Amino acid sequence: MAINSAAIRWHGNSLELLDQRLLPTQTVWLTISDSQQAANAIREMVVRGAPAIGIAAAYGLALEAQRLGDNASLPALATAIECLASSRPTAVNLFWALERLQRTAGERTGSELVQALIEDAESIHQEDLAANRRMGEFGAALLSPGATLYTHCNTGALATGGHGTALGIIRSAWEAGTLAGVYAGETRPWLQGSRLTSWELLNDGIPVTLVADSSAGQLMAQGKIDAVIVGADRITANGDTANKIGTYTLAVLAKHHGIPFIVAAPLSTLDSELPDGSHIVIEERDGSEIRQIQGKPVAPAHCPVYNPAFDVTPASLISAIVTERGVIDAPDTSKVLAHLQASH
Ligand SMILES: CSC[C@H]1O[C@H](OP(=O)(O)O)[C@H](O)[C@@H]1O
């Protein structure tokens, strides 16, 4: 079946990904034909956002099985699985999707395996959109009428199977008439906030004000922010949360100012295998992302750079974790396992 979302177009047996590196000034769709191309698209952030990465990886593996045809089998897909798994290390959704498709594959081979993987990838895509809509309702109910929110990075339709996680709550609150507006942090160095979130919210007619990341503290001190709402790339068993670099800073500022700090993520982002955030592998990306802005050098070419793409926020700084199952409220935000088990 064909499934279209903001960043991912599946045509039943072929895949297109919106090149998010070029937004908002250019809309270019790339055709992805196999697992190697899917892995490259994830690594180079053509497609990004934890849930979208998982969906793209699932389609990438299904396409590889389709390419193998009668020779398709789980052993024959081992290299493709490793190639996809090595594309980016932090978003657990990538590994969750690959593990789910491997379970689906089982002993199937040939056309039976191809069809099973395609159908499972399609289900992952559709389930994510449904999860985001449920998350949106749960999260919007946490907000006071007329709330002004601060958000970081991009957690919208571009980062998921549609609607979004934190941005999905923002969309649901706007639809419910309870949202006054949003401050969006630009999110250096990759500028997901200024390039993607502002674009999504303006397209939806949702009041958004773009700010430099360094403005967040002053906005909170001025009493302009009613809640901070962010996404996640991996939430460990105790509620520690990996998200875009700068998230931890926002959590500390929110705590200092007594402002609710809300994390929104589907169950596919919960990692019951890791006991706490100290075990999360934090991706470090090329220094050119810091030394340049949109490819234009701004720092000396030989300047050393430290460029972690994520940081970890301890559960103690999180007011609520919102999933499609419901809300884990502080001080129980460490009770992720119980939440996961309740959802089965
Ligand atoms: C719902 S997206 C979750 C998460 O993914 C983003 O990272 P990236 O743009 O590097 O893939 C960001 O951390 C979002 O909060």
Side-chain angles (χ1 to χ4, degrees):
M1 75 172 75
I3 306 173
N4 288 337
S5 55
I8 301 169
R9 285 179 181 166
W10 174 252
H11 303 293
N13 57 8
S14 63
L15 177 67
E16 288 183 289
L17 296 176
L18 179 60
D19 191 341
Q20 298 190 37
R21 301 171 299 183
L22 304 177
L23 289 175
T25 53
Q26 296 177 68
T27 301
V28 174
W29 288 88
L30 303 183
T31 298
I32 303 297
S33 304
D34 58 32
S35 56
Q36 181 68 62
Q37 290 179 6
N40 291 342
I42 293 167
R43 180 179 301 106
E44 294 160 18
M45 295 177 72
V46 165
V47 61
R48 34 64 50 198
I53 287 171
I55 295 165
Y59 281 134
L61 189 59
L63 285 170
E64 190 66 22
Q66 183 175 263
R67 190 181 69 79
L68 292 173
D70 292 341
N71 298 318
S73 68
L74 199 48
L77 290 170
T79 302
I81 291 165
E82 174 51 36
C83 174
L84 287 161
S86 63
S87 55
R88 292 186 77 188
T90 305
V92 69
N93 310 61
L94 170 62
F95 308 94
W96 169 86
L98 292 174
E99 287 163 14
R100 170 166 158 169
L101 260 69
Q102 289 176 77
R103 290 194 299 274
T104 297
E107 301 301 317
R108 293 181 172 93
T109 60
S111 59
E112 187 189 359
L113 173 59
V114 173
Q115 192 55 34
L117 294 186
I118 286 176
E119 288 174 2
D120 206 12
E122 290 170 349
S123 297
I124 289 173
H125 195 171
Q126 293 173 310
E127 288 165 16
D128 187 67
L129 173 58
N132 292 339
R133 291 199 182 282
R134 287 198 298 275
M135 211 184 316
E137 299 305 317
F138 285 126
L142 296 175
L143 304 174
S144 307
T148 298
L149 306 178
Y150 186 99
T151 195
H152 189 56
C153 198
N154 173 259
T155 60
L158 291 170
T160 65
H163 196 61
T165 57
L167 243 62
I169 291 173
I170 286 170
R171 284 192 161 102
S172 296
W174 180 251
E175 289 162 8
T178 59
L179 181 72
V182 180
Y183 284 97
E186 60 179 344
T187 314
R188 285 272 298 145
W190 217 76
L191 304 176
Q192 292 93 330
S194 48
R195 297 187 305 107
L196 307 179
T197 293
S198 62
W199 186 71
E200 284 202 50
L201 294 180
L202 286 170
N203 288 342
D204 283 13
I206 297 174
V208 57
T209 303
L210 177 63
V211 296
D213 297 319
S214 44
S215 301
Q218 183 201 55
L219 287 168
M220 294 185 204
Q222 291 172 340
K224 293 181 177 177
I225 306 299
D226 297 306
V228 178
I229 187 162
V230 299
D233 289 82
R234 192 184 294 247
I235 301 174
T236 58
N238 76 334
D240 291 350
T241 294
N243 196 53
K244 184 52 50 195
I245 188 73
T247 302
Y248 171 61
T249 308
L250 293 170
V252 172
L253 282 167
K255 192 78 171 182
H256 176 73
H257 290 286
I259 295 170
F261 185 85
I262 299 169
V263 172
L267 296 173
S268 54
T269 306
L270 306 189
D271 181 357
S272 59
E273 300 299 313
L274 292 186
D276 61 61
S278 69
H279 299 272
I280 300 174
V281 175
I282 299 297
E283 178 186 16
E284 285 193 39
R285 295 186 65 86
D286 190 82
S288 62
E289 293 184 354
I290 303 278
R291 282 190 291 266
Q292 301 169 9
I293 292 183
Q294 298 274 286
K296 180 177 179 299
V298 291
H302 59 285
C303 183
V305 167
Y306 172 52
N307 183 18
F310 302 97
D311 57 26
V312 176
T313 297
S316 60
L317 294 179
I318 298 171
S319 309
I321 297 174
V322 183
T323 76
E324 65 272 34
R325 168 72 184 168
V327 181
I328 315 173
D329 280 311
D332 294 339
T333 36
S334 62
K335 296 181 177 176
V336 167
L337 287 183
H339 185 78
L340 259 177
Q341 282 147 16
S343 69
H344 285 305

